[in-house]
Amino acid sequence: MTKPMFRTAVLALVAAATTAQAALPMLYEEAYAREEERRIYQAPIAGIYNSPWYDYRINVTEAQKELSTDLRGADDIEDRRDAWEEYGTELAKERKHYAKTMAKEGYREGRVYVGE
């Protein structure tokens, strides 16, 4: 096999693998974790940059790194499910802990309700 043919074959295999992976349905645990990712605070509650805010951001980053490590080491679907479930649960726990800590300090999370 010549080099151009070999490269074409390798690219075809990579494309097929990527397509096959993209065709996999999203796991329930991954969907839950993705929803929790959307709820990550992008700015501190009441604009207060304090130690609870920095602790929260550090814990979120740590959870993201752990997810990456867990997914790299996943051998089967159950390992992937466990990794995503742990990640989503950790994000929710950290968000709630941060909001509760700030509420104790007198800063509440702002909410807007639209409707009746």
Side-chain angles (χ1 to χ4, degrees):
M1 188 178 275
T2 64
K3 273 191 171 182
M5 290 174 67
F6 178 74
R7 284 185 187 148
T8 304
V10 168
L11 289 174
L13 286 173
V14 169
T18 303
T19 303
Q21 188 175 14
L24 290 174
M26 184 182 289
L27 300 170
Y28 166 78
E29 294 82 359
E30 182 179 355
Y32 167 73
R34 296 288 183 192
E35 182 59 34
E36 286 300 328
E37 279 183 326
R38 285 189 273 287
R39 300 178 77 185
I40 292 173
Y41 290 112
Q42 300 302 314
I45 293 174
I48 306 297
Y49 289 87
N50 55 7
S51 61
W53 166 250
Y54 293 114
D55 290 344
Y56 170 71
R57 295 305 301 174
I58 288 168
N59 292 337
V60 166
T61 302
E62 193 174 297
Q64 291 167 336
K65 287 179 183 178
E66 187 175 334
L67 171 67
S68 179
T69 302
D70 289 350
L71 289 177
R72 271 196 307 274
D75 294 328
D76 58 12
I77 190 77
E78 204 54 44
D79 290 344
R80 289 183 59 228
R81 286 190 145 161
D82 289 344
W84 282 108
E85 182 179 22
E86 181 181 345
Y87 175 62
T89 302
E90 187 68 21
L91 290 180
K93 182 187 83 146
E94 292 301 332
R95 186 186 73 257
K96 290 173 187 174
H97 176 73
Y98 172 62
K100 186 176 180 180
T101 301
M102 291 301 286
K104 283 181 182 177
E105 292 183 12
Y107 303 106
R108 300 217 176 261
E109 176 183 10
R111 293 190 181 167
V112 175
Y113 294 97
V114 178
E116 298 177 5

